[in-house]
Amino acid sequence: MDSNGILQILIYILLIVVVTPLLGGFMARLFGGERVLLSPVLGPVERSLYKICGVNAAREQHWAAYALSLLMFNLAGVLVLYGLQRLQAHLPFNPAAMAAIAPDLAFNTAISFVTNTNWQAYGGETAMSYLVQMAGFTVQNFVSAATGIAVAVALIRGFARNGAKSIGNFYVDLTRAVLYLLLPLCVVGALVLVWQGVPQNLSTYVEATTLEGGAQVIAQGPVASQMMIKHLGTNGGGFFNANAAHPYENPTALVNLLHMVAIFAIGAGLTNTFGRMVGDQRQGWAILGAMGVLFVIGVAMAYWAEAQANPALVQAGAEAVGSLEGKEVRFGTALSALFAVITTAASCGAVNAMHDSLMPLAGMVPLVNMMLGEIVVGGVGAGFYGMMVFVILTVFIAGLMVGRTPEYLGKKIEAREVKLAIIAMLVFPLGVLGLGAVGLLAGAGSIPAGGPHGLSEVLYAYTSATANNGSAFGGFGANTLLHNVLLALAMWFGRFVVILALLAVAGSVAAKRTVPPSSGTFPTQGGLFVGLLVGVIVVVGGLTFFPVLALGPIVEHLLLSAGTLF
């Protein structure tokens, strides 16, 4: 660890703190139905879209109707994206003559992009046509991100309203998230990426002659337009197989910084939106503070681990300063470790270094981030509503301590809300330990690495899928019928069971009357609440997943340190 690396990390944190109230205030006005800067230009477009689609923007929905609309919309997205992949050989904008995608891989990929996971068991530049990348993946990058934002906003309305029967209109929230928030930011961001050297064209691949006289095919295409929403929408699916380590996806230090800021921007901003909409910005800062504590701990641990020389290289007599295996030298250990923590603290999954090459304890940090449900800022919307699961549990525990019915923002937290929070929480261990165990036992042939690291690869894959992250320990052979199906199921249930549970919470608390605070009300905007919230997260997550972490990364670290792993 050095001062330059620490300074870069501190600059990043400062930028997120600055961006949070700016985006938070804009989203509060946007989803509160107020006029925003872009309303004169985009208002007529919005109203035209409602008219074409037959949406009554003034009619709000009960939580069950909101959930049904969300599920039907996303199911339609799965069918369209599956069809595009299966038919791509017969569709236009396919200059490299890509063949149709196999049924099981197309199913896995369709589920992956619709659930905002973007798990990729294929190489983008060698498997997918320009049409699939644009009309399939990029479109889903927008609407899957907007879906998460819509759920977060619906939950915020639940806590902000008093005796209400509705939580908003899904199609209105989805349209506004795409039209006013994601599209404008991505248009500007994509132009910056093009300026910095990211390709944006429909040209055929170029064949070049190397210095050694060999032939090399250089892939290109509509990259910049996908890259911006990939990070801003915490999607993570790369145009190229090497993802953000590829020089066309991430050509400069400025682009790398823009990617990292974009990953956290909306997720952090939603905490401020929450504070504004419930009438107390301190509530939002408290939630962001808890996220920040966990984030700083993760970055410090990952950076420390990656700054150490690999014991295997030292024992072999090599001079090693830090761990540079699997990394772009232009980013180094600090920015590689920072990016790895950011992308798994959010449900992004983009990588600028190969996570399979991380030192064992550094690799454990992304695992822990995902196992906690990616609540450390998290995916756009998903991080906020995932954190609210732990907020509900925290105030419930605080209520037990003082022997009174727990309250949060004047709403009584009763058995129904706690049960729904537990259901949302149990999705992660069931997906990881349940489906992951089946994948481990039945798919051993796809695990080339033996011992604890092989276990870590499988554990990482099913954790990434259930948490809707999409990053991977790349040595794992995911493209088999078994894993394509199991991982798709993990992604689907990891996304929509949690969403349904939280929308039910939103409907429940929206219908409740707000009670005024009393002398026994536990304050939820100060340091005591932040500390208790962090403690609940760590204890609950630790009890659930520590045994499997101890069998994987921790054992791997001990064996590597002892020189017996290789």
Side-chain angles (χ1 to χ4, degrees):
M1 301 175 71
D2 57 45
S3 58
N4 183 53
I6 294 172
L7 179 61
Q8 292 179 88
I9 293 169
L10 292 177
I11 290 173
Y12 173 77
I13 294 174
L14 177 62
L15 288 173
I16 295 302
V17 172
V18 171
V19 166
T20 294
L22 298 178
L23 272 178
F26 175 79
M27 289 188 286
R29 294 189 296 275
L30 175 64
F31 295 109
E34 299 178 28
R35 185 180 179 87
V36 295
L37 179 64
L38 296 173
S39 294
V41 177
L42 297 178
V45 179
E46 179 188 3
R47 291 188 290 273
S48 298
L49 289 173
Y50 296 150
K51 185 174 182 180
I52 293 170
C53 298
V55 173
N56 182 356
R59 181 180 180 182
E60 292 201 346
Q61 297 173 302
H62 182 268
W63 79 263
Y66 197 102
L68 181 61
S69 298
L70 182 150
L71 287 175
M72 292 300 101
F73 179 83
N74 283 276
L75 180 59
V78 171
L79 297 176
V80 170
L81 187 49
Y82 178 84
L84 284 172
Q85 292 176 84
R86 295 290 293 140
L87 297 172
Q88 79 168 356
H90 308 289
L91 296 174
F93 299 107
N94 186 10
M98 302 293 187
I101 305 300
D104 59 310
L105 179 57
F107 170 70
N108 177 280
T109 305
I111 296 289
S112 171
F113 277 80
V114 168
T115 58
N116 199 244
T117 309
N118 295 39
W119 173 268
Q120 294 177 287
Y122 62 88
E125 69 269 47
T126 60
M128 300 297 175
S129 70
Y130 291 168
L131 183 68
V132 172
Q133 296 267 26
M134 292 186 297
F137 298 161
T138 303
V139 168
Q140 285 304 319
N141 283 348
F142 276 96
V143 296
S144 66
T147 295
I149 295 170
V151 175
V153 170
L155 183 59
I156 292 172
R157 291 195 188 105
F159 282 101
R161 292 182 173 182
N162 187 6
K165 296 182 179 179
S166 61
I167 57 172
N169 185 306
F170 169 71
Y171 295 109
V172 173
D173 291 339
L174 180 86
T175 301
R176 288 178 178 168
V178 172
L179 194 60
Y180 291 92
L181 180 65
L182 298 175
L183 267 176
L185 289 175
C186 286
V187 168
V188 174
L191 290 175
V192 173
L193 296 183
V194 172
W195 165 53
Q196 287 290 296
V198 178
Q200 181 69 21
N201 59 56
L202 296 175
S203 304
T204 58
Y205 291 0
V206 175
E207 186 169 311
T209 302
T210 66
L211 293 175
E212 294 82 7
Q216 179 182 358
V217 176
I218 300 176
Q220 52 184 333
V223 183
S225 56
Q226 186 170 325
M227 287 310 96
M228 194 58 210
I229 186 58
K230 157 190 165 181
H231 295 98
L232 185 68
T234 61
N235 297 280
F239 191 95
F240 299 101
N241 192 35
N243 208 280
H246 195 287
Y248 276 179
E249 287 199 18
N250 200 356
T252 67
L254 177 60
V255 170
N256 191 64
L257 178 61
L258 179 61
H259 287 339
M260 292 192 295
V261 170
I263 292 171
F264 266 18
I266 294 177
L270 278 167
T271 63
N272 188 262
T273 301
F274 170 69
R276 292 173 186 268
M277 292 182 72
V278 299
D280 185 357
Q281 290 193 49
R282 295 174 299 170
Q283 301 288 345
W285 286 115
I287 292 176
L288 185 62
M291 293 175 174
V293 169
L294 295 169
F295 174 70
V296 170
I297 292 172
V299 171
M301 184 173 182
Y303 185 24
W304 172 83
E306 288 302 299
Q308 310 303 309
N310 190 316
L313 295 177
V314 173
Q315 291 165 13
E319 291 187 14
V321 180
S323 176
L324 288 174
E325 179 190 343
K327 296 179 179 63
E328 279 278 356
V329 176
R330 58 200 174 103
F331 299 137
T333 55
L335 293 181
S336 298
L338 178 61
F339 202 112
V341 177
I342 291 169
T343 196
T344 51
S347 65
C348 184
V351 297
N352 75 348
M354 296 302 103
H355 290 192
D356 203 31
S357 294
L358 293 172
M359 297 289 283
L361 293 184
M364 188 174 71
V365 174
L367 268 171
V368 170
N369 283 340
M370 294 186 294
M371 286 176 174
L372 293 178
E374 291 182 316
I375 55 172
V376 185
V377 178
V380 286
F384 173 78
Y385 63 69
M387 177 60 90
M388 293 304 292
V389 171
F390 285 99
V391 169
I392 290 171
L393 291 180
T394 300
V395 296
F396 175 71
I397 292 171
L400 292 178
M401 290 178 178
V402 297
R404 58 175 287 152
T405 303
E407 301 170 10
Y408 186 61
L409 299 176
K411 299 296 180 76
K412 296 288 187 180
I413 303 299
E414 298 172 304
R416 175 178 171 82
E417 291 78 39
V418 175
K419 289 177 182 177
L420 289 168
I422 294 298
I423 289 172
M425 185 174 294
L426 288 176
V427 171
F428 294 98
L430 288 175
V432 176
L433 304 180
L435 295 173
V438 176
L440 181 65
L441 293 173
S446 59
I447 311 170
H453 191 66
L455 172 63
S456 295
E457 289 181 345
V458 180
L459 177 65
Y460 195 107
Y462 282 86
T463 302
S464 178
T466 307
N468 301 135
N469 183 269
S471 64
F473 277 180
F476 176 59
N479 190 14
T480 67
L481 176 61
L482 174 72
H483 293 304
N484 279 335
V485 173
L486 290 179
L487 289 169
L489 293 176
M491 289 183 277
W492 186 263
F493 289 111
R495 175 74 162 177
F496 292 110
V497 171
V498 175
I499 282 177
L500 291 177
L502 268 298
L503 286 176
V505 169
S508 178
V509 295
K512 294 184 178 185
R513 294 290 178 181
T514 302
V515 297
S518 66
S519 58
T521 301
F522 179 62
T524 56
Q525 66 273 74
L528 179 61
F529 174 72
V530 172
L532 183 58
L533 177 56
V534 171
V536 169
I537 292 168
V538 171
V539 170
V540 172
L543 290 175
T544 305
F545 288 110
F546 182 76
V548 290
L549 288 173
L551 290 173
I554 295 177
V555 169
E556 190 178 344
H557 168 73
L558 295 174
L559 293 176
L560 182 62
S561 299
T564 58
L565 186 58
F566 297 101

